Every structure is written in structure tokens, then in C-alpha cells.
Amino acid sequence: MKLAILSAAIAGASAFAPSTTAPQLTALRMSEVEEVAEPAMPEVELVAPLNYWVPDESAPCFGLPGAVAPLGFFDPLGFSKGKDVDGVKRLREAEVMHGRVAMMATVGYLVGESTPTITYGMDVHHTIANNQLLEVPGTVLFPFFLAINIAEAARAATGWVEPGLGPLFTLRKTYYPGDIGFGAGFKPTNAKDFNTMQTKELQNGRLAMLAAAGMCVQEQINGKGILENLGF
């Protein structure tokens, strides 16, 4: 009787004893474990240098040359504020091209008013430059305007995305503003010299735009030619 009671007590106590068997990870539980994906590395877009220029988001106008002392970067009206790379390139394209036209216009004012030309039979014509265009015969104006149209069409084909192949008024990714391939033999072969030459062109163009506007206004005010107004 005592032996039976002792056996029952031992059996009951063993029922509450902790199990020493190591837990087994079944195939079902393994399928429930989620795999932790490795964080994807951000893709960095590589931009090929355009005339030694690589867009720098931390610099004004993405680091394009043209800012010189004493004013440095000068944009008081904020035209470039909030512009992306394409927008800044368009602004620089407009500045360079208007500067080049203004440089030719400044010389044209002086040459057209003060030197003999084929249009006027090699005689010095004293009509102010503002009024000379109306006096030029149509046979001379037609090839003149035709040459302008051809030059502009070539520039557009070189630098601008064709309508229908991308957003309108967008420059090509591989196009540097103003670089239409003319005068390639004079292009510097290093970044420092190229930036210096580009800055000189921009500065002369900016001055020429002010000069051409001043000449036009001055002639409209007093009706005198540029050199005549200076006493020559």
C-alpha cells in the first residue's frame, strides 16, 4: 500500500517538472520567418562634364562661370531662383546669344554710320542707324534675313530637343549653352582657361547689351549718330 502511494506521488511530481528537450524549429515556423531585405543604395546619376562643367547644386546657377568681382553672383531680380539645371541652362543660352548679337550690333552702329558700305554705294551715309534698315533695298534684305534664318535653324538643331521628342523649349543634355561648334580651334583645353574665356565673353556681352540699348535710345532722343553726338 505504501509502495503504491509513493509511486503515485513521484508520477504526479514529474508531471510538473520542466522539460529539458530543446525546442525544434519546424519547417512551418521557418516559412513564417520574414526575410529582412537589405536597404537599397540610392542611385547616383553620373553626369558627363560639358566643357569641364559638372552641375553643382550647392553653387549659384549650378556652378556655371560668369560671376566675377566686385559683384560676384548678380541676380537681383531672382531669375535663376528655384530653377533646375535645364532652366539655368536656358537662361545662360539666352544670355550668351543676346550678348553676341549685342556685340555685333554695337559694332554695326559705328560701322553703318561712319564708314562707306556696299549698300550705300561706298559713300558715307549719315542717316542714323535706327533708320537705316528702312532704307535698305529688299534685294539686300532678303538674303540677309535668309542667312539669319539658316543660322538660327542650325543653332536650334544643335542645342534644342526637337518638338515631339521631349518637352518644348528644352536644351539637349549633352549641349553646353552657347557652344554651337563655331571657333572650336580657339577653345581652351583645360577648365581654368575655359572658365576665364567664357567669363570674358559674358562680360563683354553684358556690356554690349547695355551699350546697344543706350545707342538706340540716344539716337531716338536727339536724332544724331553715335560719333556725331560725340563731336566726330
Side-chain angles (χ1 to χ4, degrees):
M1 183 65 180
K2 292 181 179 181
L3 182 59
I5 294 174
L6 180 60
S7 299
I10 293 174
S14 62
F16 295 96
S19 176
T20 58
T21 305
Q24 299 292 327
L25 188 62
T26 64
L28 179 61
R29 291 183 58 192
M30 290 179 64
S31 64
E32 295 175 352
V33 177
E34 296 182 358
E35 295 183 0
V36 179
E38 296 182 359
M41 298 298 292
E43 295 183 0
V44 179
E45 183 179 359
L46 299 178
V47 180
L50 298 175
N51 286 335
Y52 315 104
W53 170 68
V54 176
D56 182 3
E57 294 184 357
S58 63
C61 283
F62 292 89
L64 282 170
V68 294
L71 297 178
F73 175 69
F74 186 72
D75 184 17
L77 299 181
F79 288 115
S80 63
K81 185 177 181 180
K83 296 287 187 181
D84 57 8
V85 175
D86 292 333
V88 169
K89 287 175 65 177
R90 282 184 58 194
L91 291 177
R92 175 51 54 87
E93 172 80 1
E95 182 180 24
V96 171
M97 290 302 167
H98 281 84
R100 290 172 179 171
V101 171
M103 285 188 279
M104 291 189 291
T106 303
V107 176
Y109 265 94
L110 302 177
V111 172
E113 294 176 349
S114 308
T115 61
T117 61
I118 298 176
T119 303
Y120 295 108
M122 300 309 293
D123 291 330
V124 177
H125 198 75
H126 295 287
T127 302
I128 61 175
N130 289 356
N131 297 335
Q132 288 183 4
L133 187 62
L134 300 177
E135 300 178 357
V136 179
T139 53
V140 176
L141 281 180
F142 177 75
F144 177 71
F145 284 115
L146 181 61
I148 292 177
N149 288 330
I150 293 174
E152 281 297 290
R155 181 175 72 90
T158 301
W160 296 81
V161 176
E162 294 86 349
L165 299 182
L168 293 177
F169 311 113
T170 303
L171 294 175
R172 300 183 190 276
K173 297 293 184 182
T174 57
Y175 175 71
Y176 184 87
D179 188 3
I180 56 177
F182 183 77
F186 298 97
K187 183 185 294 186
T189 56
N190 60 77
K192 181 180 179 181
D193 291 343
F194 180 85
N195 289 346
T196 300
M197 178 175 283
Q198 173 86 114
T199 301
K200 289 179 179 179
E201 181 186 23
L202 288 167
Q203 290 296 89
N204 281 282
R206 291 162 181 168
L207 179 61
M209 285 188 277
L210 295 175
M215 290 177 177
C216 180
V217 172
Q218 178 261 305
E219 290 195 349
Q220 289 298 106
I221 290 176
N222 60 13
K224 294 182 179 181
I226 304 302
L227 295 182
E228 183 184 0
N229 195 67
L230 295 175
F232 292 96

